[in-house]
mmCIF file of all heavy atoms in Angstrom:
data_model
loop_
_atom_site.group_PDB
_atom_site.id
_atom_site.type_symbol
_atom_site.label_atom_id
_atom_site.label_comp_id
_atom_site.label_asym_id
_atom_site.label_seq_id
_atom_site.Cartn_x
_atom_site.Cartn_y
_atom_site.Cartn_z
ATOM 1 N N LEU A 1 -14.170 141.634 92.251
ATOM 2 C CA LEU A 1 -14.661 141.865 90.699
ATOM 3 C C LEU A 1 -15.964 141.154 90.602
ATOM 4 O O LEU A 1 -15.906 139.791 90.610
ATOM 5 C CB LEU A 1 -13.653 141.433 89.767
ATOM 6 C CG LEU A 1 -12.253 142.030 89.809
ATOM 7 C CD1 LEU A 1 -11.289 141.507 88.801
ATOM 8 C CD2 LEU A 1 -12.297 143.600 89.876
ATOM 9 N N GLU A 2 -17.097 141.811 90.509
ATOM 10 C CA GLU A 2 -18.395 141.169 90.591
ATOM 11 C C GLU A 2 -18.872 140.545 89.218
ATOM 12 O O GLU A 2 -18.304 140.887 88.249
ATOM 13 C CB GLU A 2 -19.414 142.290 91.135
ATOM 14 C CG GLU A 2 -19.099 142.975 92.243
ATOM 15 C CD GLU A 2 -19.359 142.114 93.510
ATOM 16 O OE1 GLU A 2 -19.740 141.010 93.429
ATOM 17 O OE2 GLU A 2 -19.011 142.683 94.652
ATOM 18 N N LYS A 3 -19.785 139.662 89.331
ATOM 19 C CA LYS A 3 -20.302 138.967 88.144
ATOM 20 C C LYS A 3 -20.773 139.895 87.080
ATOM 21 O O LYS A 3 -20.736 139.719 85.911
ATOM 22 C CB LYS A 3 -21.277 137.921 88.548
ATOM 23 C CG LYS A 3 -20.822 136.620 89.173
ATOM 24 C CD LYS A 3 -21.964 135.661 89.514
ATOM 25 C CE LYS A 3 -21.465 134.452 90.277
ATOM 26 N NZ LYS A 3 -22.468 133.433 90.489
ATOM 27 N N ASP A 4 -21.391 141.013 87.559
ATOM 28 C CA ASP A 4 -22.078 141.976 86.594
ATOM 29 C C ASP A 4 -21.125 142.940 86.043
ATOM 30 O O ASP A 4 -21.547 143.817 85.239
ATOM 31 C CB ASP A 4 -23.288 142.606 87.333
ATOM 32 C CG ASP A 4 -22.710 143.689 88.434
ATOM 33 O OD1 ASP A 4 -21.473 143.607 88.822
ATOM 34 O OD2 ASP A 4 -23.520 144.163 89.077
ATOM 35 N N GLY A 5 -19.812 142.833 86.225
ATOM 36 C CA GLY A 5 -18.839 143.672 85.652
ATOM 37 C C GLY A 5 -18.393 144.875 86.511
ATOM 38 O O GLY A 5 -17.543 145.705 86.121
ATOM 39 N N SER A 6 -19.122 145.055 87.666
ATOM 40 C CA SER A 6 -18.825 146.020 88.614
ATOM 41 C C SER A 6 -17.637 145.625 89.595
ATOM 42 O O SER A 6 -17.215 144.476 89.472
ATOM 43 C CB SER A 6 -19.953 146.418 89.511
ATOM 44 O OG SER A 6 -20.378 145.326 90.284
ATOM 45 N N ALA A 7 -17.166 146.630 90.355
ATOM 46 C CA ALA A 7 -16.172 146.331 91.421
ATOM 47 C C ALA A 7 -16.615 146.813 92.615
ATOM 48 O O ALA A 7 -17.165 147.857 92.782
ATOM 49 C CB ALA A 7 -14.803 146.984 90.914
ATOM 50 N N THR A 8 -16.209 146.049 93.714
ATOM 51 C CA THR A 8 -16.502 146.509 95.162
ATOM 52 C C THR A 8 -15.233 146.547 95.883
ATOM 53 O O THR A 8 -14.347 145.694 95.924
ATOM 54 C CB THR A 8 -17.450 145.482 95.785
ATOM 55 O OG1 THR A 8 -18.601 145.438 95.025
ATOM 56 C CG2 THR A 8 -17.772 145.980 97.225
ATOM 57 N N VAL A 9 -15.013 147.700 96.629
ATOM 58 C CA VAL A 9 -13.928 147.788 97.445
ATOM 59 C C VAL A 9 -14.419 148.250 98.885
ATOM 60 O O VAL A 9 -15.196 149.122 99.021
ATOM 61 C CB VAL A 9 -13.008 149.041 96.984
ATOM 62 C CG1 VAL A 9 -11.764 149.258 97.998
ATOM 63 C CG2 VAL A 9 -12.426 148.713 95.611
ATOM 64 N N GLU A 10 -13.998 147.441 99.810
ATOM 65 C CA GLU A 10 -14.544 147.635 101.215
ATOM 66 C C GLU A 10 -13.262 147.673 102.143
ATOM 67 O O GLU A 10 -12.340 146.951 101.963
ATOM 68 C CB GLU A 10 -15.443 146.465 101.565
ATOM 69 C CG GLU A 10 -15.950 146.611 103.102
ATOM 70 C CD GLU A 10 -16.957 145.582 103.425
ATOM 71 O OE1 GLU A 10 -17.279 144.672 102.567
ATOM 72 O OE2 GLU A 10 -17.371 145.592 104.566
ATOM 73 N N ASP A 11 -13.381 148.489 103.222
ATOM 74 C CA ASP A 11 -12.324 148.525 104.193
ATOM 75 C C ASP A 11 -12.901 148.584 105.564
ATOM 76 O O ASP A 11 -14.095 148.692 105.771
ATOM 77 C CB ASP A 11 -11.277 149.700 103.974
ATOM 78 C CG ASP A 11 -11.965 151.090 104.102
ATOM 79 O OD1 ASP A 11 -12.670 151.256 105.112
ATOM 80 O OD2 ASP A 11 -11.807 151.932 103.345
ATOM 81 N N ASP A 12 -11.994 148.393 106.581
ATOM 82 C CA ASP A 12 -12.502 148.496 107.965
ATOM 83 C C ASP A 12 -11.865 149.682 108.685
ATOM 84 O O ASP A 12 -11.454 149.638 109.847
ATOM 85 C CB ASP A 12 -12.124 147.235 108.716
ATOM 86 C CG ASP A 12 -10.672 146.820 108.741
ATOM 87 O OD1 ASP A 12 -9.922 147.695 108.113
ATOM 88 O OD2 ASP A 12 -10.190 145.813 109.277
ATOM 89 N N GLY A 13 -11.803 150.824 107.880
ATOM 90 C CA GLY A 13 -11.221 151.979 108.513
ATOM 91 C C GLY A 13 -12.317 152.717 109.281
ATOM 92 O O GLY A 13 -13.252 152.129 109.819
ATOM 93 N N ARG A 14 -12.224 153.985 109.405
ATOM 94 C CA ARG A 14 -13.124 154.834 110.239
ATOM 95 C C ARG A 14 -14.447 154.997 109.599
ATOM 96 O O ARG A 14 -15.459 155.368 110.312
ATOM 97 C CB ARG A 14 -12.504 156.111 110.747
ATOM 98 C CG ARG A 14 -11.415 155.941 111.562
ATOM 99 C CD ARG A 14 -10.602 157.413 111.664
ATOM 100 N NE ARG A 14 -9.936 157.746 110.465
ATOM 101 C CZ ARG A 14 -9.097 158.827 110.325
ATOM 102 N NH1 ARG A 14 -9.042 159.625 111.285
ATOM 103 N NH2 ARG A 14 -8.439 159.013 109.273
ATOM 104 N N GLY A 15 -14.531 154.872 108.284
ATOM 105 C CA GLY A 15 -15.708 155.203 107.651
ATOM 106 C C GLY A 15 -15.790 156.827 107.173
ATOM 107 O O GLY A 15 -15.371 157.561 108.028
ATOM 108 N N ILE A 16 -16.138 157.041 106.002
ATOM 109 C CA ILE A 16 -16.150 158.423 105.610
ATOM 110 C C ILE A 16 -17.002 159.217 106.516
ATOM 111 O O ILE A 16 -18.194 158.793 106.781
ATOM 112 C CB ILE A 16 -16.530 158.451 104.132
ATOM 113 C CG1 ILE A 16 -15.637 157.800 103.166
ATOM 114 C CG2 ILE A 16 -16.732 159.948 103.616
ATOM 115 C CD1 ILE A 16 -16.031 157.681 101.763
ATOM 116 N N PRO A 17 -16.655 160.338 106.948
ATOM 117 C CA PRO A 17 -17.481 161.241 107.661
ATOM 118 C C PRO A 17 -18.837 161.434 107.077
ATOM 119 O O PRO A 17 -18.862 161.819 105.988
ATOM 120 C CB PRO A 17 -16.704 162.499 107.960
ATOM 121 C CG PRO A 17 -15.296 162.101 107.686
ATOM 122 C CD PRO A 17 -15.388 160.971 106.713
ATOM 123 N N VAL A 18 -19.974 161.329 107.909
ATOM 124 C CA VAL A 18 -21.224 161.465 107.387
ATOM 125 C C VAL A 18 -21.969 162.737 108.112
ATOM 126 O O VAL A 18 -23.166 163.100 107.622
ATOM 127 C CB VAL A 18 -22.076 160.228 107.661
ATOM 128 C CG1 VAL A 18 -21.607 159.054 106.794
ATOM 129 C CG2 VAL A 18 -22.275 159.919 109.231
ATOM 130 N N ASP A 19 -21.310 163.419 108.979
ATOM 131 C CA ASP A 19 -21.975 164.465 109.713
ATOM 132 C C ASP A 19 -22.109 165.768 108.750
ATOM 133 O O ASP A 19 -21.494 165.672 107.723
ATOM 134 C CB ASP A 19 -21.221 164.771 111.022
ATOM 135 C CG ASP A 19 -19.662 165.006 110.781
ATOM 136 O OD1 ASP A 19 -19.144 164.138 109.940
ATOM 137 O OD2 ASP A 19 -19.138 165.951 111.295
ATOM 138 N N MET A 20 -22.892 166.638 109.287
ATOM 139 C CA MET A 20 -23.103 167.928 108.487
ATOM 140 C C MET A 20 -21.904 168.703 108.254
ATOM 141 O O MET A 20 -21.332 169.094 109.221
ATOM 142 C CB MET A 20 -24.234 168.617 109.185
ATOM 143 C CG MET A 20 -24.702 169.753 108.322
ATOM 144 S SD MET A 20 -25.655 169.190 106.837
ATOM 145 C CE MET A 20 -27.213 168.715 107.771
ATOM 146 N N HIS A 21 -21.657 169.036 107.045
ATOM 147 C CA HIS A 21 -20.597 169.808 106.666
ATOM 148 C C HIS A 21 -21.081 171.346 106.767
ATOM 149 O O HIS A 21 -22.216 171.573 106.648
ATOM 150 C CB HIS A 21 -20.082 169.653 105.189
ATOM 151 C CG HIS A 21 -18.886 170.259 104.819
ATOM 152 N ND1 HIS A 21 -18.742 171.664 104.355
ATOM 153 C CD2 HIS A 21 -17.529 169.906 104.983
ATOM 154 C CE1 HIS A 21 -17.449 171.896 104.001
ATOM 155 N NE2 HIS A 21 -16.708 170.875 104.486
ATOM 156 N N LYS A 22 -20.135 172.312 106.719
ATOM 157 C CA LYS A 22 -20.586 173.739 106.843
ATOM 158 C C LYS A 22 -21.287 174.175 105.748
ATOM 159 O O LYS A 22 -22.016 175.175 105.650
ATOM 160 C CB LYS A 22 -19.407 174.569 107.115
ATOM 161 C CG LYS A 22 -18.293 174.429 106.096
ATOM 162 C CD LYS A 22 -17.055 175.300 106.543
ATOM 163 C CE LYS A 22 -15.837 175.073 105.570
ATOM 164 N NZ LYS A 22 -14.570 175.782 106.050
ATOM 165 N N LYS A 23 -21.180 173.410 104.527
ATOM 166 C CA LYS A 23 -21.836 173.782 103.260
ATOM 167 C C LYS A 23 -23.391 173.250 103.415
ATOM 168 O O LYS A 23 -24.010 173.409 102.328
ATOM 169 C CB LYS A 23 -21.142 173.211 102.107
ATOM 170 C CG LYS A 23 -19.904 173.875 101.825
ATOM 171 C CD LYS A 23 -19.319 173.444 100.403
ATOM 172 C CE LYS A 23 -17.961 174.237 100.062
ATOM 173 N NZ LYS A 23 -18.357 175.664 99.812
ATOM 174 N N GLY A 24 -23.764 172.741 104.501
ATOM 175 C CA GLY A 24 -25.113 172.425 104.676
ATOM 176 C C GLY A 24 -25.474 171.072 104.071
ATOM 177 O O GLY A 24 -26.712 170.852 103.835
ATOM 178 N N VAL A 25 -24.605 170.221 103.823
ATOM 179 C CA VAL A 25 -24.890 168.843 103.339
ATOM 180 C C VAL A 25 -23.947 167.902 103.963
ATOM 181 O O VAL A 25 -22.828 168.258 104.522
ATOM 182 C CB VAL A 25 -24.619 168.876 101.831
ATOM 183 C CG1 VAL A 25 -23.233 169.035 101.446
ATOM 184 C CG2 VAL A 25 -25.178 167.536 101.140
ATOM 185 N N SER A 26 -24.284 166.573 104.004
ATOM 186 C CA SER A 26 -23.380 165.476 104.545
ATOM 187 C C SER A 26 -22.019 165.612 103.955
ATOM 188 O O SER A 26 -21.910 165.643 102.698
ATOM 189 C CB SER A 26 -24.065 164.214 104.442
ATOM 190 O OG SER A 26 -23.211 163.197 104.773
ATOM 191 N N ALA A 27 -20.912 165.401 104.815
ATOM 192 C CA ALA A 27 -19.616 165.495 104.289
ATOM 193 C C ALA A 27 -19.506 164.407 103.258
ATOM 194 O O ALA A 27 -18.658 164.618 102.174
ATOM 195 C CB ALA A 27 -18.605 165.223 105.395
ATOM 196 N N ALA A 28 -20.044 163.184 103.472
ATOM 197 C CA ALA A 28 -19.865 162.145 102.479
ATOM 198 C C ALA A 28 -20.446 162.446 101.078
ATOM 199 O O ALA A 28 -19.757 162.056 100.043
ATOM 200 C CB ALA A 28 -20.554 160.860 102.926
ATOM 201 N N ARG A 29 -21.558 163.133 100.980
ATOM 202 C CA ARG A 29 -22.035 163.576 99.782
ATOM 203 C C ARG A 29 -21.138 164.494 98.991
ATOM 204 O O ARG A 29 -20.806 164.454 97.775
ATOM 205 C CB ARG A 29 -23.439 164.239 99.963
ATOM 206 C CG ARG A 29 -23.942 164.953 98.704
ATOM 207 C CD ARG A 29 -24.304 163.859 97.553
ATOM 208 N NE ARG A 29 -25.210 162.776 97.891
ATOM 209 C CZ ARG A 29 -26.555 162.915 97.787
ATOM 210 N NH1 ARG A 29 -27.101 163.995 97.370
ATOM 211 N NH2 ARG A 29 -27.285 161.806 98.064
ATOM 212 N N LEU A 30 -20.437 165.372 99.680
ATOM 213 C CA LEU A 30 -19.303 166.184 99.111
ATOM 214 C C LEU A 30 -18.221 165.471 98.617
ATOM 215 O O LEU A 30 -17.702 165.748 97.508
ATOM 216 C CB LEU A 30 -18.846 167.275 100.114
ATOM 217 C CG LEU A 30 -19.821 168.383 100.550
ATOM 218 C CD1 LEU A 30 -19.166 169.354 101.658
ATOM 219 C CD2 LEU A 30 -20.168 169.324 99.413
ATOM 220 N N VAL A 31 -17.748 164.502 99.380
ATOM 221 C CA VAL A 31 -16.584 163.655 98.871
ATOM 222 C C VAL A 31 -16.817 163.056 97.553
ATOM 223 O O VAL A 31 -15.982 163.023 96.644
ATOM 224 C CB VAL A 31 -16.230 162.606 99.980
ATOM 225 C CG1 VAL A 31 -15.291 161.480 99.374
ATOM 226 C CG2 VAL A 31 -15.672 163.275 101.119
ATOM 227 N N PHE A 32 -18.165 162.554 97.373
ATOM 228 C CA PHE A 32 -18.299 161.800 96.082
ATOM 229 C C PHE A 32 -18.920 162.665 94.892
ATOM 230 O O PHE A 32 -18.875 162.162 93.827
ATOM 231 C CB PHE A 32 -19.389 160.689 96.370
ATOM 232 C CG PHE A 32 -18.793 159.487 97.182
ATOM 233 C CD1 PHE A 32 -19.006 159.373 98.522
ATOM 234 C CD2 PHE A 32 -18.030 158.568 96.628
ATOM 235 C CE1 PHE A 32 -18.479 158.446 99.251
ATOM 236 C CE2 PHE A 32 -17.410 157.484 97.271
ATOM 237 C CZ PHE A 32 -17.594 157.449 98.631
ATOM 238 N N SER A 33 -19.268 163.842 95.263
ATOM 239 C CA SER A 33 -19.879 164.712 94.253
ATOM 240 C C SER A 33 -19.189 165.887 93.919
ATOM 241 O O SER A 33 -19.578 166.659 93.007
ATOM 242 C CB SER A 33 -21.385 164.971 94.603
ATOM 243 O OG SER A 33 -21.353 165.802 95.729
#
């Protein structure tokens, strides 16, 4: 819980996939949008 009121969550997993999805955009962008 950060001083500015934000929150940070970090893990040591594989990392969200960043490679190109068949929709023509990074898979990570699809996950968050």
